[in-house]
Amino acid sequence: MRTKIILLICLVFILIWPAIQLYQHRHFQIPIVAGPGVTRVTKLSHYLPALKGTMADTWIFWLEGQESGGKALILGNSHANEPEGMLAALVVIENGLVERGTLLVIPQFNHSASRATRPGDGYPLYFNIDTKWGKKKFRMGNREASPLDQWPDPDVYLHYPDKQLLSFLDARNVNRTWPGRPKGLLMEQVTYAAMELIRQEKVDLVIDIHGAETMFPVTNCIVAPEKSAKLATMVSLTVKATEKFDNHVEPSPPKFRGLSHREIGDYSDAMPFLLEAPIPFLDQPTGPKTEKFLLDGKDPFLLRLSRKNKLFVPYDETGWPIDKRVGQHLSVTLEILRQYSRRTPERSIIIHNVPRYAEVVEKGVGYYFQDPSQVRRDRIYLN
Amino acid sequence: MAKFIMITYYLLTAFIATLFFWNFWQEKKKIDRQILYLLVLIPLLLRLLRIK
């Protein structure tokens, strides 16, 4: 009996130690400052009330211009372990000033995933970005939604409506559940709500911001379906010529279902784009998955692989720092808006005060975040 | 439907956790078995407590 009690005490101790950390991580709130360009803030559940009160509901920041024009939607953290998307979205929210048209920004699209982690891969629970006023702390999320919010996983995920068989894990991957359905799995409800937003608000452009492994061929690129391909090609050529970084165009495969760059275009009038920047942290043959590695992208094993031409992007001792990744995403996003506005002046979207690649690389992404303690409380949204 | 399946899985988890705890409590001699029962119990408890 005594042994049993000692063992039970050990069990409680072993349980409590990680449980406190995981609980704190799931409930940690990131203060998002609504910058001067934000005119209103709503929730995704407005487009599907079933999401209200769930961990999948998330903020939508509206940046509306004085003049009417087109509408663009920016999605960050579709995969919450690719934080450059969220950081780029936050830079737009905190700094952007829209002159014409409307910009809608969802910085934590898979909100549930941002509150989960992948301890099997030794992910850090948080990461910090240096700013002018100190460090801004963020949750490090996972690729899939938390199983606490959508569980159990099926043996095989059957995509709706195409019935394509996908990995069981993709049932919680919001970039495999487009276009979604109102009474489906929680992640299908999230994408359905976003589709309703796109259709009801007559959104012209959807920019879904990601990161991808250096050993994965679809990296450092713009993924575009047929309807967005011309614009994406112009954007790719322009940033290469004027800002000196590569961002090639990858066609969206018509037979691979559930992805934003495929389904949004097929189920609405919007033109979708999926942006990928290399994130060495996601590669498998690397050293420990530390916060430093997440932010600077430097790894000796990847460097050796690079010398053997095993990577799909240039890689040297400078790694792939977060500032470079966010800078690329911002420049490509701004260029998509600019090229679209040139082509369709009646639906143009003109935005100012968002930094481009060179500025972000020079000053660091943290330079563009405001100190929440110096901002009016009603301009802060906890996410 | 998804919610019903989710609740069913929580009930199954609770049932299996109870079985493991019962086996742990009934095991009188082998300490290695007792430790194993408790180790297997950890993920089930984390899920039931809605922590992981």
Side-chain angles (χ1 to χ4, degrees), chain A residues 3-4 7 11 147-148 151, chain B residues 6 24-25 27 31 47 50:
Chain A
T3 318
K4 279 200 176 78
L7 284 175
L11 174 78
L148 292 180
W151 191 64
Chain B
M6 191 165 176
F24 162 75
W25 201 251
E27 182 60 57
I31 192 164
R47 179 54 54 90
R50 290 190 55 79

Side-chain angles (χ1 to χ4, degrees), chain A residues 45 74 82 136 149-150 152 189 191 238 320 339 358 360 375:
Chain A
S45 56
I74 297 176
E82 298 160 12
K136 189 170 170 90
D149 303 317
Q150 183 183 304
Q189 293 181 4
T191 45
T238 309
W320 269 91
Q339 294 283 347
V360 182
V375 176

Side-chain angles (χ1 to χ4, degrees), chain A residues 96-277:
Chain A
L97 296 169
V98 174
E99 181 188 320
R100 187 181 154 90
T102 302
L103 203 55
L104 297 97
V105 188
I106 305 180
Q108 298 266 21
F109 185 54
N110 193 342
H111 184 249
S112 166
S114 80
R115 293 181 182 277
T117 181
R118 197 185 291 188
D121 270 9
Y123 275 21
L125 289 176
Y126 307 94
F127 64 94
N128 294 276
I129 298 288
D130 289 320
T131 69
K132 293 173 282 185
W133 42 269
K135 286 181 183 295
K136 189 170 170 90
K137 188 175 176 181
F138 295 90
R139 290 186 307 274
M140 176 65 181
N142 194 10
R143 183 178 170 87
E144 294 87 21
S146 170
L148 292 180
D149 303 317
Q150 183 183 304
W151 191 64
D153 295 327
D155 290 337
V156 175
Y157 166 51
L158 193 64
H159 173 259
Y160 176 84
D162 290 278
K163 296 197 169 103
Q164 187 169 55
L165 300 180
L166 298 169
S167 156
F168 75 98
L169 263 180
D170 284 333
R172 283 188 278 122
N173 176 355
V174 90
N175 200 29
R176 295 294 182 279
T177 60
W178 294 93
R181 50 183 159 174
K183 291 185 178 171
L185 301 168
L186 192 62
M187 291 306 107
E188 289 178 320
Q189 293 181 4
V190 169
T191 45
Y192 178 80
M195 284 304 304
E196 282 300 292
L197 160 73
I198 293 163
R199 288 187 284 244
Q200 287 178 28
E201 304 296 339
K202 297 188 171 47
V203 171
D204 302 274
L205 305 167
V206 180
I207 303 166
D208 185 13
I209 309 181
H210 288 249
E213 297 89 335
T214 60
M215 295 184 75
F216 184 56
V218 187
T219 190
N220 209 25
C221 63
I222 309 168
V223 189
E226 302 77 3
K227 71 199 288 192
S228 314
K230 269 189 186 172
L231 194 73
T233 306
M234 277 307 295
V235 169
S236 172
L237 292 170
T238 309
V239 295
K240 169 89 175 165
T242 59
E243 303 190 53
K244 314 292 180 207
F245 68 82
D246 278 313
N247 215 239
H248 68 278
V249 178
E250 285 280 344
S252 164
K255 289 188 178 169
F256 189 3
R257 308 310 304 191
L259 293 111
S260 62
H261 53 75
R262 170 51 46 198
E263 309 292 355
I264 292 173
D266 287 1
Y267 286 89
S268 76
D269 294 331
M271 292 165 70
F273 301 85
L274 187 145
L275 314 188
E276 296 278 18

